[in-house]
Amino acid sequence: MTKKLKKICKLTLIIIATISIFNSCGVVTSIPYEPIQFDKNTSENGLIFGSITFPNEKAKFNGYFVQISNTNSDKKIAEKNSTQIRFVPQQIIKMKHDGQLENGKTYLFVLERKAGNYEIPFLRLFTNYGYSTRDTSINGFNLPFNLKKGEIKYLGNIQFDESMQSNIHPVQLNNNFKRDVEAIKSLQPSLNWSDAINDETIKIIYSK
């Protein structure tokens, strides 16, 4: 087998394995492909939205997942209402972030969830070597929030330094409400974004 053919086969395996992981249960895309049908006056759910930003255009991992955990005391309810939001960089030719803002470095997300208490307790990083895969979790922080029926709530702009070479925690939180809400309007124009809530009390709590 020639080197070129080996490279093509390896790339095919990476793509197949990556698609399989990203389409697994409990994982949702960051921006729904179809228009979100949401009526704040009748819905039992709420919407959360925000963004995640990386420091460089070059991506280090094949996939990034933000864990959204429901904290209901009933484990079955908590599990049912928990999910992971996936973010997928370009990786056919080279690893490059493919977000909607800042030359791909910032990805937007919007997600409908049942009303209740939630948290973001970790990020999951997925690496595909072609013949094997690896998952890594970034812990040591927690981002709790509450979601009420009919709400469209902004969680903030998650900043993730994937080089992880700084003395500070690689996950930080900024507020870019105006930028993010204006950008997401073009992706989900059917929603009434004037109802969006900029909850500035949402903060990251770091483990000691």
Side-chain angles (χ1 to χ4, degrees), residues 77-94:
I77 294 176
E79 183 177 354
K80 180 181 178 181
N81 293 321
S82 297
T83 190
Q84 290 186 350
I85 307 173
R86 70 173 181 255
F87 303 90
V88 185
Q90 295 179 13
Q91 45 200 300
I92 300 300
I93 300 175
K94 61 180 180 179

Side-chain angles (χ1 to χ4, degrees), residues 65-107:
F65 301 80
V66 173
Q67 175 69 29
I68 307 293
S69 294
N70 183 280
T71 58
N72 194 292
S73 58
D74 186 317
K75 291 184 178 180
K76 289 185 178 180
I77 294 176
E79 183 177 354
K80 180 181 178 181
N81 293 321
S82 297
T83 190
Q84 290 186 350
I85 307 173
R86 70 173 181 255
F87 303 90
V88 185
Q90 295 179 13
Q91 45 200 300
I92 300 300
I93 300 175
K94 61 180 180 179
M95 299 286 287
K96 182 181 179 183
H97 282 298
D98 194 29
Q100 295 85 3
L101 301 173
E102 298 183 304
N103 293 322
K105 292 188 296 182
T106 293
Y107 299 79

Side-chain angles (χ1 to χ4, degrees), residues 1 4 22 41 47 64-65 69 94 104 115 136 144 185 207:
M1 185 182 291
K4 185 176 181 181
F22 292 169
N41 297 313
L47 292 179
Y64 304 80
F65 301 80
S69 294
K94 61 180 180 179
T136 305
K185 277 182 183 179
S207 302

Side-chain angles (χ1 to χ4, degrees), residues 110-167:
V110 59
L111 179 65
E112 185 173 351
R113 290 284 91 186
K114 285 284 187 183
N117 293 314
Y118 291 86
E119 63 183 8
I120 298 177
F122 66 87
L123 304 184
R124 180 164 69 91
L125 312 175
F126 172 70
T127 305
N128 193 330
Y129 298 107
Y131 298 98
S132 65
T133 62
R134 184 179 70 180
D135 276 322
T136 305
S137 293
I138 304 300
N139 308 95
F141 75 97
N142 191 23
L143 197 161
F145 63 93
N146 173 266
L147 185 64
K148 296 177 181 178
K149 295 179 182 179
E151 277 189 333
I152 302 177
K153 178 170 283 189
Y154 180 64
L155 299 187
N157 170 225
I158 299 169
Q159 302 268 330
F160 177 47
D161 181 4
E162 57 186 322
S163 69
M164 292 178 275
Q165 296 183 358
S166 173
N167 291 327

Side-chain angles (χ1 to χ4, degrees), residues 153-187:
K153 178 170 283 189
Y154 180 64
L155 299 187
N157 170 225
I158 299 169
Q159 302 268 330
F160 177 47
D161 181 4
E162 57 186 322
S163 69
M164 292 178 275
Q165 296 183 358
S166 173
N167 291 327
I168 64 172
H169 196 283
V171 179
Q172 301 288 321
L173 188 68
N174 290 341
N175 190 301
N176 281 305
F177 176 78
K178 185 176 180 180
R179 180 202 68 179
D180 289 351
V181 77
E182 287 298 321
I184 211 166
K185 277 182 183 179
S186 63
L187 301 175

